[in-house]
Amino acid sequence: NFSSQSHEIMKARKYVVVNHFVNEAKPTDLKLVEEELPPLQDGEYLAEAEYFSVDPYMRPYVRRYPLGITMLGTQIAKIVESKNPAFPVNKRIVGNMGWRTHTIVNPKFKDLVFQEHPYLLPDIGDLPSSLCLGILGMPGNTAYFGLLELCKPKSGETIVVSGAAGAIGSHVGQIAKNLGLNVIGICGSDEKCNWLIEEMGFDFAINYKTMPVASNLRKAAPQGVDCYFDNVGGDISSAVMYQMKPFGRVAVCGSISSYDADSSSLPKCTILQPILSKHELRVEGFLVTRWMNRWNEGIMQNLQWLREGKLRYRETETKGFENMFEAFIGMLRGENIGKAIVQA
Ligand code: NDP
């Protein structure tokens, strides 16, 4: 128990990036190492990881940083020792400290990805703290702001969501359903399609691995599509955009279908300009950090919807820090339903 034995030498385990990912990430691109942590200085606190998030952005972002960094990633951690009254022992934080079991956080710490200091877990009562990596965290805010601010959905309209059975997609579809839209999801298995319809309230689901997207979409939305929340890019997205109504709105959240490609191997995709001008579509990309000044609003709204039974969630949980890579690659390959997390 470190909190009562702070004089003991503390060891942290962490994954260091030793090769930038090329095509599909390999376990040997990361190295698990042990590090001795020094005693705390004034203002510092020691955080022990409880849950880790594995997210798609980790795949393309890593190459922006030099080799030798700790693998990027957000975690929920419990403060086990503190010399900072604003971050007392036993409180939990959400922060992008990376794939490491223990972290000494000093007051000036800002993470590499978001350039933010960790924040204290919001008061979510007896809900699991891991939700702050998903529906009550960054992915939840991505769904909330991306959908409402960019798609501007209206009751009676039709929305298509790609990556529909993942953390963000399943959340977007539920908000849209609550607003009275006709919701069509695109995802990669029959199990996911069934889950979207039976549990998440989607109206129609297309398994892009076994069903042609264009003809099935025409069946599901014969009048055309008003909004598209795009998590995947590539040909799936081209097929959707060609079926959009005049003045349709597209929120480009991510393009996971291209994350394993480098610039020389990017897949060719259908030219989009004709439909953009013909139907006067509005296509806008975004980063959720655009709404950093409204972060708490998103979390509190999603929390309220969760408590009212208007939002449901699912987590695909992997156990054990030693299984981080398997969880990461599994998520990229589509093995997750809902949010992919790792319990430390
Ligand atoms: P998910 O939980 O959706 O997990 C990723 C899913 O992507 C997999 O489960 C898999 O499901 C699907 N996928 C993988 N490869 C492909 C492919 N080639 N074509 C189609 N689908 C594929 O992840 P998140 O909800 O966390 O993220 C969803 C998207 O949002 C990502 O693109 C991510 O980069 C983006 N994002 C953007 C943010 C922003 O600020 N703009 C913030 C956070 C995330 P399947 O079985 O259906 O293939």
Side-chain angles (χ1 to χ4, degrees):
N1 180 346
F2 185 71
S3 53
S4 58
Q5 299 174 22
S6 52
H7 54 282
E8 265 185 19
I9 292 174
M10 181 71 211
K11 285 195 172 136
R13 286 183 298 153
K14 63 176 185 178
Y15 287 87
V16 170
V17 179
V18 292
N19 290 306
H20 285 135
F21 303 137
V22 177
N23 304 130
E24 187 171 69
K26 291 183 284 302
T28 49
D29 294 333
L30 304 175
K31 190 172 165 201
L32 184 56
V33 299
E34 225 175 49
E35 174 184 82
E36 272 185 17
L37 299 180
L40 291 189
Q41 305 293 314
D42 277 348
E44 291 181 337
Y45 55 96
L46 175 67
E48 182 175 80
E50 292 185 333
Y51 290 100
F52 294 92
S53 183
V54 283
D55 296 270
Y57 75 84
M58 297 169 175
R59 168 63 189 79
Y61 274 40
V62 161
R63 69 169 79 103
R64 300 180 183 180
Y65 304 99
L67 294 177
I69 58 159
T70 302
M71 179 60 188
L72 310 168
T74 301
Q75 56 172 262
I76 306 291
K78 188 170 162 186
I79 299 173
V80 291
E81 195 192 340
S82 178
K83 293 193 171 181
N84 183 333
F87 291 89
V89 169
N90 287 333
K91 288 277 185 194
R92 287 179 169 78
I93 54 168
V94 186
N96 199 304
M97 283 86 81
W99 292 17
R100 50 182 301 142
T101 57
H102 296 83
T103 310
I104 292 179
V105 186
N106 71 44
K108 289 196 186 132
F109 173 87
K110 286 202 163 127
D111 70 77
L112 283 174
V113 179
F114 302 104
Q115 291 297 308
E116 294 286 327
H117 193 82
Y119 59 90
L120 289 171
L121 203 77
D123 181 7
I124 59 168
D126 52 9
L127 290 166
S129 62
S130 58
L131 297 189
C132 295
L133 298 174
I135 194 165
L136 302 177
M138 183 276 281
N141 276 358
T142 306
Y144 174 76
F145 290 114
L147 173 66
L148 297 184
E149 298 292 327
L150 301 194
C151 287
K152 300 196 186 300
K154 293 180 212 49
S155 179
E157 289 187 331
T158 291
I159 185 168
V160 174
V161 185
S162 59
I168 295 169
S170 60
H171 191 151
V172 166
Q174 292 182 83
I175 301 178
K177 199 65 225 163
N178 291 336
L179 293 172
L181 281 85
N182 176 37
V183 180
I184 300 164
I186 303 177
C187 61
S189 76
D190 289 347
E191 185 192 0
K192 291 182 180 188
C193 286
N194 291 338
W195 177 69
L196 288 178
I197 290 170
E198 281 157 26
E199 308 266 334
M200 298 286 109
F202 281 53
D203 297 285
F204 199 91
I206 299 172
N207 175 351
Y208 70 87
K209 290 185 180 163
T210 59
M211 299 160 74
V213 172
S215 55
N216 280 284
L217 188 53
R218 229 169 279 123
K219 242 188 269 166
Q223 315 295 328
V225 173
D226 300 279
C227 308
Y228 176 39
F229 192 100
D230 184 11
N231 283 315
V232 307
D235 271 343
I236 291 175
S237 296
S238 304
V240 174
M241 288 201 223
Y242 269 91
Q243 294 192 36
M244 295 197 68
K245 291 183 193 168
F247 297 103
R249 289 92 62 201
V250 180
V252 180
C253 175
S255 53
I256 196 167
S257 68
S258 67
Y259 291 174
D260 275 345
D262 63 36
S263 52
S264 62
S265 64
L266 278 173
K268 294 235 182 315
C269 66
T270 318
I271 184 170
L272 281 171
Q273 285 79 358
I275 193 69
L276 297 187
S277 62
K278 182 174 172 223
H279 281 178
E280 302 184 66
L281 304 182
R282 176 187 287 264
V283 181
E284 185 170 347
F286 72 96
L287 290 173
V288 65
T289 44
R290 192 192 296 191
W291 297 284
M292 212 50 127
N293 61 347
R294 293 172 61 191
W295 203 252
N296 208 43
E297 171 199 325
I299 290 174
M300 288 303 130
Q301 181 59 77
N302 285 325
L303 177 62
Q304 189 188 329
W305 283 333
L306 192 61
R307 290 203 189 290
E308 291 170 354
K310 291 181 179 158
L311 276 181
R312 292 168 160 210
Y313 67 89
R314 181 151 161 186
E315 295 175 320
T316 298
E317 183 178 302
T318 303
K319 289 204 192 319
F321 186 64
E322 61 285 1
N323 296 317
M324 286 293 300
F325 186 83
E326 284 69 25
F328 173 55
I329 203 75
M331 176 276 302
L332 291 171
R333 288 177 181 166
E335 287 163 16
N336 61 307
I337 298 187
K339 179 73 188 105
I341 55 165
V342 178
Q343 188 179 29

